[in-house]
Amino acid sequence: MPPAPRSRPLFSAERSAEVVTQAFSDTPDARLRTVITALVEHLHAFAKEVDLTQAELDTAIDFLTRTGHACTDVRQEFQLLSDVLGMSMLVDSLDHAGPGPTTTESTVLGPFHMVDSPPRALGDSISLAEGGEPTLVTGQVLGPDGRPLGGALIDVWQADEKGFYDVQRPGEVPERNLRGLFTCDEQGRFHFRTILPAAYPIPDDGPVGQLLEATARHPYRPAHIHFIVGAEGHQPLTTHVFVAGSDYLDSDAVFGVKESLVLDFEEVSGGELAAAHDLPVPFRHAHVEIALRPEEG
């Protein structure tokens, strides 16, 4: 049998946090000890502040249970919960504090990076299904000093013109539709063809959707393309490019919009760009410059 733990005061409502945190005081990992102690203190303070009832605690436990049951290989309901509570954006902001004026801002990963993006050649189309407004995305990956980062990797994924990701429409669209992994050229440049993404609702047919409905919130996100960008010697970046003029830019359900990430997807009706990229006219064009932070230490 393990040795008897050292004695501690008996539980009472007044001393609840003190008693419970003392039970965790021998946690070997210092960081875990710090986090679990703060968690207990804040949870107990919250329960006392709102005078939480047993029925409300039971409801919360049932909600979390149903949230877990809603998770699948292509759906992460707990990620959605973190997103709509603003926790994902808060932690992202804390983790990337002080990026400086010369580096691209980060934002949330989102719940649909569920499968690996297929490697594609520069200039390929990531749209494997019919429909949608033809769109060209060009760009360059740079260091904070403006130096091109040759060979940088660009992982992109997006919703279609109806607001769906491929994993939401299995059997209806080709696998890995609107996903691609690109290697930049020696000047850090990239370009690919796609379609203009649409604004869309996050999945709202589960517990998180019920929470949004109960709190009179909508589930919509503005139109955007996801990016994960990496280059040797630099910190990887998870970000979005939002379509200027899209609905919900000022009320994103997951709080992911930052002003610097909103870009014009301009309409192009002809010229050298159309010919160079074999695009029908008119089409949309966005140019994305991404600046990465150097690795720390």
Side-chain angles (χ1 to χ4, degrees):
M1 295 180 62
R6 56 185 173 178
S7 62
R8 58 176 180 262
L10 296 180
F11 190 92
S12 69
E14 294 74 22
R15 304 182 66 180
S16 64
E18 176 189 350
V19 173
V20 177
T21 55
Q22 186 173 328
F24 288 107
S25 62
D26 292 331
T27 301
D29 185 282
R31 176 59 180 170
L32 176 58
R33 185 168 61 251
T34 296
V35 171
I36 195 69
T37 297
L39 175 63
V40 168
E41 289 174 345
H42 286 282
L43 277 175
H44 284 239
F46 156 74
K48 294 173 184 178
E49 178 183 342
V50 301
D51 196 17
L52 196 69
T53 67
Q54 183 65 53
E56 290 165 340
L57 178 59
D58 292 343
T59 297
I61 291 171
D62 175 69
F63 172 79
L64 293 175
T65 301
R66 290 186 291 110
T67 299
H69 289 163
C71 295
T72 70
D73 289 344
V74 295
R75 175 167 178 164
Q76 218 331 322
E77 195 78 2
F78 274 110
Q79 181 66 62
L80 279 178
L81 180 59
S82 175
D83 291 347
V84 303
L85 292 177
M87 184 58 64
S88 299
M89 274 302 296
L90 173 58
V91 172
D92 180 81
S93 298
L94 294 172
D95 208 33
H96 296 87
T102 60
T103 54
T104 301
E105 291 191 281
S106 62
T107 191
V108 292
L109 177 67
F112 291 112
H113 192 255
M114 304 297 294
V115 295
D116 293 333
S117 297
R120 303 193 192 277
L122 292 176
D124 279 356
S125 176
I126 63 173
S127 178
L128 309 179
E130 295 183 358
E133 189 172 356
T135 298
L136 173 67
V137 177
T138 60
Q140 189 174 27
V141 181
L142 310 166
D145 56 359
R147 177 175 55 87
L149 298 179
L153 291 177
I154 305 285
D155 185 356
V156 297
W157 68 103
Q158 65 172 84
D160 62 20
E161 77 282 5
K162 297 178 181 178
F164 292 103
Y165 288 82
D166 57 341
V167 295
Q168 295 176 289
R169 301 175 65 193
E172 298 180 46
V173 298
E175 291 185 5
R176 309 303 197 267
N177 185 47
L178 294 171
R179 298 178 188 268
L181 181 65
F182 296 91
T183 300
C184 297
D185 68 15
E186 66 279 358
Q187 292 300 313
R189 295 172 299 200
F190 63 91
H191 60 283
F192 61 90
R193 291 170 293 153
T194 184
I195 58 174
L196 191 70
Y200 64 87
I202 60 173
D204 61 350
D205 57 343
V208 172
Q210 293 167 4
L211 174 63
L212 292 177
E213 183 178 9
T215 54
R217 286 181 55 191
H218 72 71
Y220 282 87
R221 300 211 65 204
H224 59 273
I225 300 176
H226 295 262
F227 285 77
I228 296 179
V229 187
E232 185 177 356
H234 293 77
Q235 298 180 37
L237 172 72
T238 298
T239 193
H240 295 7
V241 171
F242 293 94
V243 179
S246 173
D247 292 334
Y248 311 109
L249 283 171
D250 60 353
S251 62
D252 182 2
V254 306
F255 310 99
V257 180
K258 296 181 179 179
E259 187 174 355
S260 67
L261 303 179
V262 180
L263 295 184
D264 288 329
F265 281 63
E266 299 177 337
E267 185 173 285
V268 179
S269 56
E272 295 181 1
L273 203 59
H277 296 278
D278 191 28
L279 281 162
V281 292
F283 64 92
R284 297 292 193 103
H285 174 227
H287 185 76
V288 185
E289 289 201 350
I290 298 173
L292 300 183
R293 301 170 67 180
E295 288 182 345
E296 296 177 352

